[in-house]
């Protein structure tokens, strides 16, 4: 690996200044399974306060910027990320162990998201409503009322371990919050703190270039839960974006709900993304379905929020063919490091407990690990009956693992679907006849997911107007919003009605 | 008062059946200050379970109804309310003490809301997004993705003490939930339980007439907080609508957040609806502003969520003229009963504590009460300095009371605005010059409210597309939704993306 073209400071970025000293923590090199060459100062209480105050002061000015000014700012961020891309990707490769091609793709997506919002801000706002006055209406005259949207205020975004770029420092939540008019404080993920710092340097330049207020973007580095808690509890923070585990997400969600002023918490907390294999399709394509399943499951060594972790199908010859092929393809899959040693040990623990569970059968494994910190891809099989009784079998195993649920008949299949917790996605694999014959199952499944996919794998989230990346709890903590696509901006906006307002007061979109 | 044309059963309405027995509670006659002639059975644990199960079972069918079927159902409810209107208004007059004209207006608004949603359901759904496939895109083909909305599931609606019709049994939340495709359980307000029962009888007939599933609407009568808690904690309930006090609202909001599966809680919890009197306007119209202020404050004896409870102005001659006129007009206002004895005693307590507060001055009062349970309209005056220091002066006094905050200069006025908690509404009273000269104050105020009004009083909420009835906490617990107007339907819908779905699966609006 080539060296970065610049030093990593290890500092926080507050109000356009780099500051920090005192105790520090290292980030992690998953491939070598050791500390990264870089250390980062732990944010202090004072720095949390400074960052929030900076964001609050910036809000007073930033909320008055025009959509064009915010569009220019978002474009500048994308441009500066392009300029620093070589360093950013070097750092991210070292800190996540993810391959260069994947991180190149993620960098591209990150910039595209910023440009998508820039483009959106330049379109006429079509989401407003105008009802003009009718002074002659009886019994009472009708007032002039006009509906538009205001930004919520300073927002905290938590970096995600598995998406160091697209769901982190300048990722989806940051892009949509800045587009909405909300200043952002990123709590950098400690596993890829150097990547966060480098992306922040891009934003630092963009702030100057586009002359938006200092303090519109701030980065706090920390490895401590207490610091995370202090940020979300600060009275001047008005919303939180998070992608991570159910356990941590629920702690933060509860803190947000318990505040004196409760605030929205947008947490994406995990999903098993069930794949329903319908009979005809399975009979025709058992082998290719098995291959595609493994390919999708192995993306990022299974560390995708849309990784297919659950397969649901009817017992029979076709499923046996599918399982045989799966076992063959799985044998070719390499063991590999996970994003962190704690993610690896959770994977080991959960797969061991599945392997030793009376109701489950290990049916396929990847290559045995060549190094102690590598984890082995695994597939298990379980009866629908056992699945319906044991809620632990529904828990997400973050990593390259999936469970096949074998159903005796379509009634049992429907019961399994009805029992599912909320999911980001699910896929139906079926031909035309399958789909016509299983409409009730498909209908029930639609109420469990944020995105319902037909004959495709869930990995690969399209960034577009019609995307929904969210879902019923526990997939996300707010089923009504998405973290991907244009509608993500609505996380950070709220409606306001202007009644009988003079034109000089109305925002442009209401003229 | 004439007798009702039918008996009041005092029962619950579950799955199209009237049931109930055992312990009961009376509703209240505020004018006579005694129990009403009617008693109501307390809902048992079993009945809560039955009602939720009925709503859940109904959901499986009701979510598959067409928009046209739901429109027909809403129209039928409005029609049946019209048919039963004489009885409904008789009961509501007795149970709330509100005058007939006001309740006639509220009944009209309730029906109009139902018809507005029926009309909306018949329009083409313009809120969907369609991105068609591009199989030739590189590096990856683009899938077909289409965004629409699904109903959340069974919803609980709490009746509001101060709006027995428009925010209760067949009120705003019920209408928008039913429009969205969500079955409803109304927890009837114990103060107007007979009114709830009669409105439910209208819905009962509408269910039959329009052939929607049994269990799509259920009424539970209860006076017990534990029963309310049991309903919102039930795992099959997916959202809660509430209009009431900050204290009770916050308890229910916390229960919703603490559930194993947290659910949205839409609480409207109170507002002082600040009136900002700018200098020119005050100088020109001091007397008429004072008269309008009192008229607005006296609507429903001050028991409107948009009652103007706070006036903010600069010290000086004009304000003295305003206060003098206010004192004169206030002297003509009658004392009157409140909706309940506990609301009356809270009013007494809060106004006594204001009257005895060192920083406040009682500047105007209505007629002395002729009966012990009547409450007297009151106006107090306080310096901006005291207001800035004492958060209790910001608390809503539910009833015919308002506080004038006197500011030394516009800087102090801005500090008062900045200190305000979240509000449903605020009004700016200013001429063109006032408005140009106080743009920063108006801008700051916009971030405190859900509706910003110019030169009009806040009472009288227009039911239309551009209305927003909500606001930053504590005005509401979800600043992003409204309880009035077409957009209220979004409380009970959530997005879903269909990827690569065959046409036979797509809902009509995505074809």
């Amino acid at each position: 690996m080539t060296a970065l073209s610049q030093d990593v400071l290890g500092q926080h970025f507050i109000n356009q200044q780099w500051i920090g000293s005192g105790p520090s923590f290292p980030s992690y090199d998953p491939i070598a399974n050791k500390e990264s060459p870089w250390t980062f100062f732990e944010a202090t209480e004072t720095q949390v306060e400074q960052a929030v105050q900076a964001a609050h002061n910036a809000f007073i000015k930033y909320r008055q910027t025009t959509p064009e000014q915010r569009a220019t700012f978002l474009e500048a961020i994308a441009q500066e990320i392009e300029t620093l891309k070589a360093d950013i990707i070097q750092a991210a490769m070292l800190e996540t162990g993810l391959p260069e091609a994947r991180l190149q793709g993620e960098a591209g997506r990150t910039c595209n998201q910023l440009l998508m919002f820039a483009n959106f801000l330049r379109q006429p706002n079509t989401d407003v409503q105008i009802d003009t006055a009718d002074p002659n209406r009886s019994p009472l005259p009708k007032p002039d009322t006009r509906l538009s949207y205001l930004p919520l205020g300073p927002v905290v975004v938590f970096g995600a371990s598995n998406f160091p770029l697209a769901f982190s420092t300048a990722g989806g939540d940051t892009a949509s919050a800045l587009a909405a008019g909300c200043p952002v404080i990123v709590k950098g993920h400690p596993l890829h703190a150097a990547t966060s710092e480098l992306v922040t340097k891009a934003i630092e330049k963009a702030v100057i270039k586009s002359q938006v207020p200092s303090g519109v973007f701030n980065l706090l580095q920390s490895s401590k839960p207490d610091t995370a808690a202090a940020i979300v509890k600060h009275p001047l923070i008005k919303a939180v974006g998070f992608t991570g585990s159910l356990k941590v997400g629920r702690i933060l969600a509860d803190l947000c709900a318990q505040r004196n002023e409760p605030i929205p918490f947008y947490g994406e907390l995990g999903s098993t993304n069930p794949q329903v294999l319908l009979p005809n399709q399975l009979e025709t394509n058992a082998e290719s379905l098995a291959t595609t399943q493994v390919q999708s499951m192995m993306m990022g060594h299974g560390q995708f929020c849309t990784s297919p972790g659950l397969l649901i199908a009817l017992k029979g010859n076709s499923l046996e063919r599918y399982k045989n092929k799966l076992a063959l393809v799985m044998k070719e899959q390499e063991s590999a490091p996970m994003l962190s040693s704690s993610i690896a040990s959770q994977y080991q623990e959960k797969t061991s407990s599945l392997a030793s569970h009376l109701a489950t059968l290990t049916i396929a494994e990847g290559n045995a690990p060549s190094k102690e910190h590598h984890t082995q891809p695994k597939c298990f099989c379980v009866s629908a009956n056992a699945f319906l009784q044991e809620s632990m079998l529904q828990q997400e195993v973050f990593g390259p693992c999936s469970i096949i649920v074998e159903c005796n008949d379509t009634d049992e299949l429907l019961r399994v679907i009805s029992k599912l917790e909320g999911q980001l996605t699910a896929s139906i694999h079926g031909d035309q006849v399958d789909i016509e014959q299983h409409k009730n199952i498909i209908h029930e499944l639609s109420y469990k997911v944020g995105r319902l996919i037909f004959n495709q794998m869930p990995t690969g989230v399209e960034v577009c107007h019609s995307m929904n990346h969210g879902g019923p709890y526990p997939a996300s903590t707010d089923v009504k919003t998405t973290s991907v696509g244009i509608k993500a901006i609505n996380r950070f906006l709220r409606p306001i009605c202007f009644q009988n307002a003079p034109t000089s007061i109305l925002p442009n979109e209401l003229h």
Side-chain angles (χ1 to χ4, degrees), chain A:
Chain A
M1 175 167 299
T2 53
L4 300 184
S5 70
Q6 55 191 308
D7 288 340
V8 168
L9 304 170
Q11 293 181 307
H12 319 288
F13 183 67
I14 300 174
N15 208 23
Q16 266 332 76
Q17 307 284 326
W18 290 95
I19 58 168
S21 60
S24 65
F25 66 93
S27 62
Y28 174 67
D29 174 346
I31 290 177
N33 190 30
K34 63 174 192 185
E35 292 179 356
S36 85
W38 305 303
T39 60
F40 302 86
F41 298 111
E42 292 282 1
T44 63
E45 261 178 62
T46 311
Q47 286 154 355
V48 169
E49 185 62 36
Q50 286 169 345
V52 176
Q53 281 295 345
H56 176 71
N57 294 339
F59 182 53
I60 312 294
K61 298 173 197 157
Y62 190 60
R63 70 193 189 187
Q64 299 195 58
T65 53
T66 61
E68 174 58 34
Q69 287 172 306
R70 296 197 296 280
T72 306
F73 177 38
L74 295 176
E75 275 173 350
I77 298 174
Q79 220 162 45
E80 298 298 332
I81 289 176
E82 277 297 332
T83 307
L84 291 179
K85 196 162 78 172
D87 273 359
I88 290 170
I89 286 181
Q90 283 294 332
M93 283 171 70
L94 189 142
E95 291 186 318
T96 64
L98 294 170
E100 182 171 355
R102 146 74 199 268
L103 290 166
Q104 286 283 0
E106 202 183 320
R109 174 174 162 185
T110 307
C111 292
N112 283 342
Q113 287 176 165
L114 290 158
L115 298 175
M116 175 189 73
F117 282 113
N119 185 42
F120 175 74
L121 288 171
R122 291 197 172 109
Q123 308 300 314
N125 187 332
T126 55
D127 208 19
V128 300
Q129 300 279 343
I130 297 179
D131 291 299
T132 51
D134 179 0
N136 301 319
R137 191 186 60 174
S138 85
L140 289 171
K142 183 177 171 303
D144 179 290
T145 51
R146 297 168 189 235
L147 189 77
S148 188
Y149 299 87
L150 294 179
L152 289 183
V155 160
V156 176
V157 176
F158 282 80
S161 66
N162 60 340
F163 272 86
L165 304 174
F167 282 88
S168 290
T169 317
D173 275 336
T174 298
S176 51
L178 292 176
C182 298
V184 170
I185 297 170
V186 164
K187 213 293 279 171
H189 200 289
L191 288 175
H192 49 68
T195 309
S196 282
E197 178 176 318
L198 292 168
V199 174
T200 298
K201 283 184 172 163
I203 302 175
E204 176 185 17
K205 294 203 179 84
V207 168
I208 296 166
K209 214 161 118 181
S210 50
Q211 298 181 290
V212 290
S214 296
V216 75
F217 180 87
N218 307 274
L219 170 70
L220 291 172
Q221 301 279 25
S222 171
S223 69
K224 298 190 171 168
D226 284 358
T227 305
I231 307 173
V232 307
K233 283 156 76 175
H234 197 292
L236 293 175
I237 293 299
K238 299 302 177 190
V240 178
F242 173 87
T243 306
S245 71
L246 177 57
K247 189 179 153 197
V248 175
R250 185 62 194 253
I251 291 170
L252 294 173
D254 289 348
L255 288 176
C256 288
Q258 288 155 12
R259 289 165 47 115
N260 192 24
E261 178 192 351
I263 53 173
F265 177 79
Y266 302 115
E268 187 197 309
L269 309 186
S271 178
T272 58
N273 305 296
Q275 305 297 299
V276 180
L277 309 176
L278 294 178
N280 287 355
Q281 188 75 334
L282 188 59
E283 189 180 345
T284 317
N285 297 307
E287 286 77 14
S288 67
L289 282 169
T291 306
T292 322
Q293 156 73 19
V294 176
Q295 282 165 353
S296 179
M297 187 184 90
M298 291 307 299
M299 286 181 74
H301 206 54
Q303 297 164 108
F304 266 45
C305 40
T306 50
S307 193
L310 203 62
L311 287 104
I312 309 171
L314 297 183
K315 264 188 198 161
N317 281 341
S318 309
L319 185 56
E320 290 309 309
R321 280 168 47 214
Y322 177 93
K323 282 156 67 178
N324 291 340
K325 178 67 177 176
L326 193 81
L328 286 175
V329 184
M330 281 288 283
K331 272 190 194 151
E332 297 159 15
Q333 307 306 315
E334 298 293 336
S335 293
M338 305 286 280
L339 292 160
S340 78
S341 49
S342 97
I343 292 174
S345 64
Q346 278 169 45
Y347 179 84
Q348 301 289 22
E349 201 177 295
K350 286 188 179 171
T351 50
S352 301
S353 121
L354 284 171
S356 63
H357 195 288
L358 281 179
T360 59
L361 198 64
T362 306
I363 60 155
E365 289 181 320
N367 271 331
S370 60
K371 295 190 179 159
E372 203 198 346
H373 69 290
H374 287 195
T375 65
Q376 188 181 19
K378 303 244 179 194
C379 284
F380 301 94
C381 194
V382 67
S383 72
N385 192 37
F387 183 84
L388 289 167
Q389 283 172 41
E390 290 257 14
S391 61
M392 76 82 90
L393 294 172
Q394 268 211 60
Q395 284 169 19
E396 183 189 18
V397 180
F398 191 67
C401 169
S402 62
I403 301 178
I404 301 175
V405 181
E406 295 190 320
C407 305
N408 284 311
D409 51 36
T410 48
D411 282 356
E412 204 172 45
L413 180 55
L414 181 59
R415 283 205 298 282
V416 167
I417 304 288
S418 302
K419 176 90 174 178
L420 289 176
E421 292 187 329
Q423 308 288 343
L424 291 171
T425 74
S427 302
I428 294 284
H429 300 272
D431 68 10
Q432 216 178 323
V433 175
D434 280 331
I435 286 169
E436 291 310 310
Q437 286 179 345
H438 295 87
K439 278 195 164 168
N440 60 336
I441 282 170
I442 297 169
H443 182 76
E444 178 69 19
L445 188 59
S446 70
Y447 281 87
K448 303 293 183 176
V449 303
R451 179 163 56 114
L452 187 63
I453 304 163
F454 290 79
N455 295 309
Q456 294 181 333
M457 299 309 294
T459 36
V461 179
E462 191 66 26
V463 179
C464 62
H465 282 63
S466 58
M467 182 44 57
N468 185 49
H469 193 64
Y473 187 88
S476 89
T477 58
D478 184 347
V479 68
K480 289 165 56 187
T481 70
T482 174
S483 65
V484 177
I486 280 294
K487 299 253 175 197
I489 197 171
N490 294 334
R491 290 185 158 196
F492 305 111
L493 291 172
R494 58 97 171 173
I496 181 167
C497 171
F498 293 91
Q499 180 170 326
N500 202 23
T503 308
S504 69
I505 291 298
L506 287 173
N508 284 332
E509 69 271 16
L510 290 182
H511 283 180

